[in-house]
Amino acid sequence: MPDLPDVTFPRDRRIDPSVRSVLVPHWSNLAPEDVVDGVTSMRRTLIDCMRNLPLEESVPIADSAVRAGDITSPALVRLAASMRGRGRRRAMAVAAMATAAAANAYESTLRAIASTVPGLNVEPQRPIRIADGRVLHPDLLDERLGIVIEAESFTWHGETAALTRDCARYNAFVTQGLIVIRFSWPQVIFRPAYVVEVLANAVALAHRHANVARGAPAYAA
């Protein structure tokens, strides 16, 4: 939950400075269809989030809307393209990234951060066929560089059986010749600069990695 609610006022509305202690003000002349039961509509909320929020916050929201079926990816792109004025370019970038393939908001946040690393182009849940014929879906994969990025948490790996499965998954990726990078939730949420630094180093390593010269590993169709 945000620390303070976001409230939109008409453009000509003046507010007392003290109000900022209890809310985050925005100014816009909302159309009647932009307000439903006293709050902004889904469409308007998406516009405001894509326009105003940083990438690591707006991408998870856009992904969640597409994943929940509230809007399709093409419709989201059209919505961003219909915008005018400040923030349109940012909104179009967010809409272009939005996908229902992302497993959750945590993974979407990591993907948003990864998108800022030069030379890195990751996709969520891309299938990889490993040596024994099984197909695994890493959280994020750069197919060209052979980099797997995993978003780890105690929720899914806190028990012995889950940890064992996670180790087997990690070993399968590594023995496939992939570079595997793992991040914890606190690192992704509170230390994005660290995430960027590690991923930039991974990109540099991949360019020296034998897999780049030989071509990417075999992936599932």
Side-chain angles (χ1 to χ4, degrees):
M1 295 292 291
D3 295 329
L4 298 173
D6 290 77
V7 179
T8 301
F9 296 92
R11 292 189 184 279
D12 58 356
R13 175 73 177 272
R14 302 189 64 171
I15 63 171
D16 190 278
S18 63
V19 170
R20 292 179 181 270
S21 65
V22 295
L23 57 82
V24 178
H26 303 273
W27 284 267
S28 181
N29 293 327
L30 299 176
E33 62 269 20
D34 286 339
V35 180
V36 178
D37 296 330
V39 299
T40 51
S41 66
M42 181 273 292
R43 175 185 177 279
R44 180 67 200 206
T45 299
L46 284 171
I47 288 175
D48 290 341
C49 290
M50 292 191 297
R51 185 196 300 273
N52 297 313
L53 294 179
L55 203 63
E56 62 269 23
E57 295 180 27
S58 56
V59 169
I61 291 170
D63 279 358
S64 296
V66 174
R67 186 169 56 249
D70 292 331
I71 192 169
T72 64
S73 294
L76 189 65
V77 171
R78 291 194 296 271
L79 179 62
S82 71
M83 295 169 54
R84 295 293 179 268
R86 177 187 58 81
R88 180 175 183 269
R89 180 177 297 182
R90 175 189 294 183
M92 291 184 67
V94 172
M97 288 183 63
T99 175
N104 50 57
Y106 170 30
E107 181 184 296
S108 296
T109 302
L110 179 55
R111 190 170 102 260
I113 296 171
S115 73
T116 68
V117 177
L120 188 63
N121 183 24
V122 298
E123 297 179 76
Q125 302 297 321
R126 179 71 182 268
I128 296 178
R129 189 178 303 281
I130 60 176
D132 63 6
R134 288 180 298 149
V135 175
L136 300 178
H137 295 77
D139 295 336
L140 300 174
L141 170 68
D142 185 313
E143 179 178 353
R144 182 180 67 88
L145 296 180
I147 296 176
V148 163
I149 308 170
E150 295 281 84
E152 309 286 20
S153 70
F154 282 116
T155 301
W156 305 111
H157 306 107
E159 298 180 355
T160 300
L163 178 61
T164 299
R165 288 195 301 270
D166 188 49
C167 289
R169 176 184 171 91
Y170 175 84
N171 293 340
F173 289 145
V174 170
T175 55
Q176 195 78 2
L178 296 163
I179 298 172
V180 183
I181 307 297
R182 304 168 69 190
F183 293 109
S184 68
W185 189 89
Q187 288 171 331
V188 172
I189 302 303
F190 300 116
R191 299 181 61 195
Y194 167 77
V195 174
V196 169
E197 179 184 2
V198 171
L199 293 180
N201 290 337
V203 170
L205 175 62
H207 283 294
R208 301 193 301 270
H209 200 281
N211 279 347
V212 174
R214 295 199 302 264
Y219 298 101

